[in-house]
Amino acid sequence: MSKYRIHIDKNPPSKARIDAYKDFDSLHKQYQVHSRYEFWRNLYRNPRYFAVLVALISVSVLVYQSSLKTPSTESAFILPPIPPKDIPLLEEGLRPQEAQSFTYENGTQIHVPANAFIDEDNQEVSGKVELRYREFRDAADIFIAGIPMDYDSAGKSYTLESAGMLEILAYSAGKPVYLKEEKTLEVEYFSPYKGVDYNVYHLDTVERNWNFEGEDLLRESLEESKFPDRPALEYILDREADTFLTRNVRIPNQKPGRVFQIALSNAADYTLLSGKQNLIWEYIQMPNFVDPWEDGLLPNAAAIARAKPYRAAGVFLLELKGGGQFVARPLLDAQSFEVALAEYEEKLVAYKKALIEYNAQKELAKKKLVEREAALKAYKDELAAWEAKTKERDSLATSGVYRRFIIKKLGINQLGRKLEYPMMQLKVDLSFQEDSSFGERLADQGRRISLIHPEINTVFSCKKLEGESGKYMIRFDPRSQNLLCVSDKEENLYLLNFRQISTNLRMKFKNRESSFSDHASLKKHLQNWLDKIEPNN
């Protein structure tokens, strides 16, 4: 059987399948997987591969060293409309031998590892490093900074929509320094844009393009910051002091009554006492009656005036001759006074022991009551903190999310996604008032014409059409207002707010502003314009 598989009249691939292979990001990943092992197999099979590898490494080193010394071309690529009003950089000093973190006003945190920087000669930086940082949080910031959002992938042009953009630069002794290849910076950044389909891009100002650097770590970040569960009130029975005693300790019986022996003069008057002249009695403690043992007074025949029944059967009220009454009951079954006295002493010892234990448990109950109150307060405080954090989380859930940048290269980095948005593209003439050469003069000055759409966090570049005087290709949303922005070299800012383009395809700028003292005043002016723009219908 032939080892070849021949397909005759095979159907050509669909346009969708062809377009899928134009995605540079995914194509690059597939290439890495399929080519990784084939190259290394050929490396040891064919010496020519090894020679090519050595040559490539040598050229790469030369190119890398050359790129470090290549003069910056940012002045022609990153083009602020009014350079003196550009967004300022915040400066931080750091010791390169130590890992450090910085927190900024917007809540952004930058984590810098130890020994992360090298100079242009590839030597580790030992002196103090100055970190310079700024953020571009919305389309107005991106426009003011003059950052292009065009992205070319495998020959296909896109516009990147940003979920967060920042610039980090580092200097030592006034000279730029660079991240080591194996080192990265980690940035925690709050973004009002909640999508999960963003990737990390680095702006290459030499190649004039955004480079794909990796996937967004939003999913991992959210997993790591899993929100805690609602705190539960710790239900420990011992902390319920009001029921602790009844559950844990038997409350002592009433204190045992003392025993005594007397002969009553009127004992014959009562059947229960008849014929019993020298009875053994047990004292019963009752409220509102005297205690005959107070002040050393002992009941005896001489002290007792008489006895009479008292309420319950077998209980008598004994009256003292000196005044006063107390309650007692005769121990008719007692063997002897000595035995009754011994039983009393035994009961008294048990009672005292139980009383000591009971009092100790009462103190413990008081302590547990304090513990319970403290636990309840701690719970309320924890619950209040949880509810505040929940409210903050719910607020963030509607206003944005925290994201993490992993910065591999210093410069401008962003979380971006290729914009798939149905916008109209039209070729138009640009003019100012009756000046038909306005658009051509802007091109001669090298000025960039940009369009800001309020519902998309990006800046669209309007392309100058080669060979056509003053004509540009403009991409806009015909359903909503759009803000067209441009400035000239005299720092005049021209703005045009529009929905549709006139039938003659000529756009006339009617506004010119030039009185901005700083970045903040320029942004406020732009924001006032953007706030007036109507949303999509």
Side-chain angles (χ1 to χ4, degrees):
M1 178 181 289
S2 172
K3 65 179 180 179
Y4 300 104
R5 300 179 64 186
I6 301 173
H7 299 274
I8 300 175
D9 297 331
K10 184 178 179 180
N11 293 329
S14 65
K15 184 178 184 302
R17 182 172 177 83
I18 294 173
D19 291 342
Y21 283 92
K22 292 181 180 179
D23 188 338
F24 177 76
D25 298 337
S26 60
L27 188 62
H28 178 64
K29 291 180 181 179
Q30 295 177 30
Y31 169 77
Q32 286 183 317
V33 172
H34 291 297
S35 63
R36 184 180 302 138
Y37 301 108
E38 183 64 26
F39 175 81
W40 292 110
R41 284 196 296 269
N42 289 326
L43 182 62
Y44 70 82
R45 290 176 181 170
N46 192 333
R48 285 182 296 177
Y49 271 84
F50 184 76
V52 170
L53 176 63
V54 173
L56 287 174
I57 293 175
S58 301
V59 171
S60 299
V61 171
L62 292 174
V63 170
Y64 173 71
Q65 291 178 343
S66 175
S67 67
L68 292 178
K69 300 177 182 179
T70 300
S72 173
T73 60
E74 291 186 5
S75 59
F77 182 56
I78 296 179
L79 191 61
I82 304 179
K85 316 304 185 293
D86 192 9
I87 302 172
L89 288 150
L90 302 175
E91 299 181 359
E92 298 281 359
L94 60 88
R95 300 173 293 278
Q97 292 80 14
E98 303 176 14
Q100 292 180 256
S101 297
F102 303 97
T103 302
Y104 295 89
E105 183 178 353
N106 288 325
T108 302
Q109 290 188 334
I110 301 178
H111 306 287
V112 184
N115 303 313
F117 299 100
I118 55 174
D119 60 21
E120 61 179 354
D121 297 321
N122 207 30
Q123 299 299 310
E124 185 170 309
V125 176
S126 57
K128 187 176 180 180
V129 171
E130 178 187 333
L131 205 66
R132 299 180 185 176
Y133 175 75
R134 60 178 178 167
E135 296 178 359
F136 314 100
R137 302 197 68 86
D138 51 37
D141 280 344
I142 295 172
F143 170 72
I144 291 169
I147 299 171
M149 297 298 284
D150 304 314
Y151 173 54
D152 182 81
S153 177
K156 189 174 181 180
S157 296
Y158 299 92
T159 298
L160 290 178
E161 181 183 10
S162 180
M165 187 187 302
L166 49 86
E167 181 177 26
I168 303 178
L169 302 172
Y171 294 83
S172 181
K175 295 183 178 180
V177 295
Y178 313 91
L179 275 178
K180 289 181 180 178
E181 187 175 351
E182 70 276 12
K183 296 287 186 177
T184 60
L185 306 184
E186 182 176 313
V187 179
E188 296 179 29
Y189 180 96
F190 177 75
S191 169
Y193 305 97
K194 298 177 286 184
V196 295
D197 53 346
Y198 292 92
N199 293 312
V200 180
Y201 293 90
H202 172 76
L203 185 60
D204 189 331
T205 57
V206 176
E207 296 296 328
R208 295 170 173 258
N209 196 25
W210 290 94
N211 291 333
F212 174 84
E213 295 291 331
E215 295 181 354
D216 179 16
L217 297 178
L218 174 62
R219 296 181 185 87
E220 179 184 346
S221 178
L222 290 179
E223 248 179 55
E224 291 175 356
S225 59
K226 182 180 179 183
F227 197 76
D229 295 329
R230 178 188 177 96
L233 178 60
E234 190 176 3
Y235 189 78
I236 300 177
L237 291 177
D238 286 353
R239 284 187 174 163
E240 297 182 7
D242 47 358
T243 60
F244 177 79
L245 291 173
T246 58
R247 290 181 293 99
N248 295 274
V249 167
R250 184 176 178 181
I251 300 176
N253 295 325
Q254 189 176 13
K255 183 179 179 180
R258 298 192 184 203
V259 294
F260 58 96
Q261 190 173 25
I262 58 170
L264 292 176
S265 58
N266 65 334
D269 296 342
Y270 305 103
T271 304
L272 186 65
L273 304 179
S274 179
K276 300 177 180 179
Q277 297 298 320
N278 199 18
L279 287 171
I280 301 170
W281 297 78
E282 180 184 36
Y283 166 69
I284 300 175
Q285 184 176 352
M286 296 286 288
N288 302 321
F289 290 94
V290 300
D291 183 346
W293 281 269
E294 288 182 357
D295 300 326
L297 176 64
L298 298 177
N300 51 55
I304 300 299
R306 68 192 182 101
K308 60 182 180 179
Y310 179 76
R311 295 184 180 178
V315 177
F316 288 82
L317 182 66
L318 304 181
E319 296 181 358
L320 296 168
K321 291 181 179 179
Q325 300 172 327
F326 67 97
V327 179
R329 66 182 180 90
L331 300 177
L332 302 177
D333 298 328
Q335 297 179 15
S336 64
F337 178 72
E338 289 74 15
V339 172
L341 184 61
E343 290 177 354
Y344 161 73
E345 295 290 348
E346 185 178 345
K347 291 178 182 179
L348 185 62
V349 169
Y351 168 79
K352 289 181 178 179
K353 181 180 179 181
L355 184 62
I356 292 173
E357 183 177 353
Y358 177 72
N359 288 332
Q361 293 300 330
K362 280 182 67 176
E363 292 300 316
L364 183 59
K366 290 180 182 178
K367 180 180 177 182
K368 289 186 180 297
L369 178 61
V370 173
E371 289 178 0
R372 186 183 67 172
E373 294 300 323
L376 186 59
K377 182 180 183 304
Y379 164 74
K380 289 180 178 178
D381 292 343
E382 187 179 357
L383 182 62
W386 181 86
E387 288 174 344
K389 194 170 182 181
T390 301
K391 186 176 181 181
E392 178 185 4
R393 180 195 61 179
D394 293 342
S395 173
L396 294 179
T398 57
S399 61
V401 291
Y402 279 100
R403 298 182 178 274
R404 287 201 303 154
F405 280 87
I406 299 300
I407 304 297
K408 301 177 183 178
K409 299 175 185 176
L410 297 182
I412 297 177
N413 293 270
Q414 72 160 319
L415 286 175
R417 62 183 174 190
K418 293 181 292 187
L419 192 60
E420 302 292 344
Y421 192 80
M423 299 187 76
M424 181 180 291
Q425 293 193 91
L426 282 179
K427 181 171 65 174
V428 299
D429 290 337
L430 297 182
S431 62
F432 178 70
Q433 294 178 346
E434 301 303 323
D435 184 356
S436 60
S437 64
F438 178 68
E440 190 62 31
R441 289 208 318 275
L442 291 176
D444 292 341
Q445 294 178 359
R447 308 309 294 172
R448 182 180 293 129
I449 299 177
S450 304
L451 184 140
I452 301 177
H453 188 284
E455 296 179 13
I456 308 173
N457 192 35
T458 191
V459 174
F460 296 98
S461 296
C462 301
K463 305 294 185 182
K464 173 70 172 66
L465 295 175
E466 297 297 332
E468 299 193 46
S469 178
K471 292 185 179 180
Y472 290 78
M473 185 64 73
I474 291 182
R475 188 181 184 194
F476 69 98
D477 186 346
R479 302 170 300 168
S480 176
Q481 296 287 356
N482 302 263
L483 184 63
L484 200 64
C485 314
V486 67
S487 67
D488 58 23
K489 285 192 173 182
E490 286 70 42
E491 296 189 15
N492 294 311
L493 180 67
Y494 302 89
L495 304 172
L496 177 61
N497 187 5
F498 70 96
R499 179 191 295 273
Q500 295 285 353
I501 297 180
S502 62
T503 54
N504 61 5
L505 301 183
R506 172 161 291 183
M507 306 186 71
K508 295 183 179 181
F509 289 91
K510 299 179 181 179
N511 304 85
R512 179 175 66 180
E513 299 287 348
S514 58
S515 58
F516 307 110
S517 59
D518 53 20
H519 151 255
S521 64
L522 175 55
K523 181 169 182 179
K524 183 178 180 181
H525 180 76
L526 281 174
Q527 200 61 53
N528 287 337
W529 273 75
L530 291 170
D531 290 342
K532 297 175 185 177
I533 292 180
E534 301 173 10
N536 283 337
N537 295 330

